[in-house]
Amino acid sequence: MYTALDTLRKILQVAHSREHRSFRRMAFVDSILAVYAVVHGTVRMGRALDDVLYPGYQQQPLGEPIYIVAAPRSGTTFLHRLLALDPQFTTFKLYQTILPALTLYRAAERIGQVNGQLGDMLTALQARIDTSSFGGWDGIHKTGLGHDEEDEGLFVHAMASPAVMLLLPFAEEFEHLRFLDSWTDERRARLVSYYRSCLQRHLFHHPGKTLLAKNVLLPGRFEIVREAVPGARFVHVLRHPYEVLPSMLSLFTAPWRLHSPEIPLDGPEVQAMASLAIDYY
C-alpha cells in the first residue's frame, strides 16, 4: 500500500509552523491525523489479510469502467447517483473508500446486518458520524458513509490528494499535489499499482458489475488513472466556470470555518483554491 510520506511530513510541518501557527487549526489537524493513523493502520492489516483470504482478487480484470469527470460542482454527483440506480453498475460507497480492503468490506457488511437493540445503536452511531463529519456540507454536497461517492478517499489514504487543503488552506505549500501526473516515474508506478489493486478488490467483491466512478480532481491524475485502467471510459460534464467557481469555493471553505475562521473569504488562500480549479479546467 503506497503512502506519500513527504506529504504527511509536510502537513505536520505546516500545521506546527510559526508562519501559519493557529492552536485551533493545529489541534484540529492533529486530531484528524490521529484518526487517520488508526484507520490507515487498520486498512494495512485488512489488505494484508486480503492476500491470505482472498488472493483471487489479484487476477480480477477491471473491464471498462465509466468515470464521470468535471470541475467540482458541475452536477457529477447527481449524474453519478442517477446512473448508479442501474443494476449493471457498482459504485464506491464512502465507507469503502475509507476502508479499501475486502476483509474490511465484509466485516462492515456483517456489522450492518446486526439486528435488535445493538443494530439500532450502530445505526444511531453511523447517523451521528454522518452529521458530525459531513453535516456541514448539507445543502452543498450531502453525503455520508453509506452514500455513493467518488473515489478520492483512496488517494487520501495514499496522501496523494489536494483534499489535504480542506485541513490546511495554504495551496502554495502543497504544489506537489496539484498534478500527480508530474511525479517521477517510480512514484507514479507505485501509485498506479496501489490504485489498481483497490479497484480489483472492489470488483472482486461485486463480480459481473461495471465500475461507475466519478472524481472532480481527476484532471490532476488523468494519466495515472488511464495507466491503471487502460479500458476506462470518460464522461465529461461541463458547467460554466462563473457558476462552478463560487459553488466550489463554498464546498472547499466550509471546513475552514471550523479550524481557520480568521481566513477571509476574499483572501489569497481562497484565490489560490480558485486558481487550482481554473488549472483543472
Side-chain angles (χ1 to χ4, degrees), residues 71-75 237-248 281:
R73 312 301 298 148
S74 296
V237 181
L238 287 174
R239 185 184 181 194
H240 199 290
Y242 287 1
E243 298 173 334
V244 165
L245 286 175
S247 186
M248 172 263 191
Y281 261 104

Side-chain angles (χ1 to χ4, degrees), residues 62 69 172 187 201 209 225 267:
L62 299 181
V69 59
E172 73 281 0
R187 294 189 75 185
R201 284 173 164 87
K209 300 286 188 177
V225 170

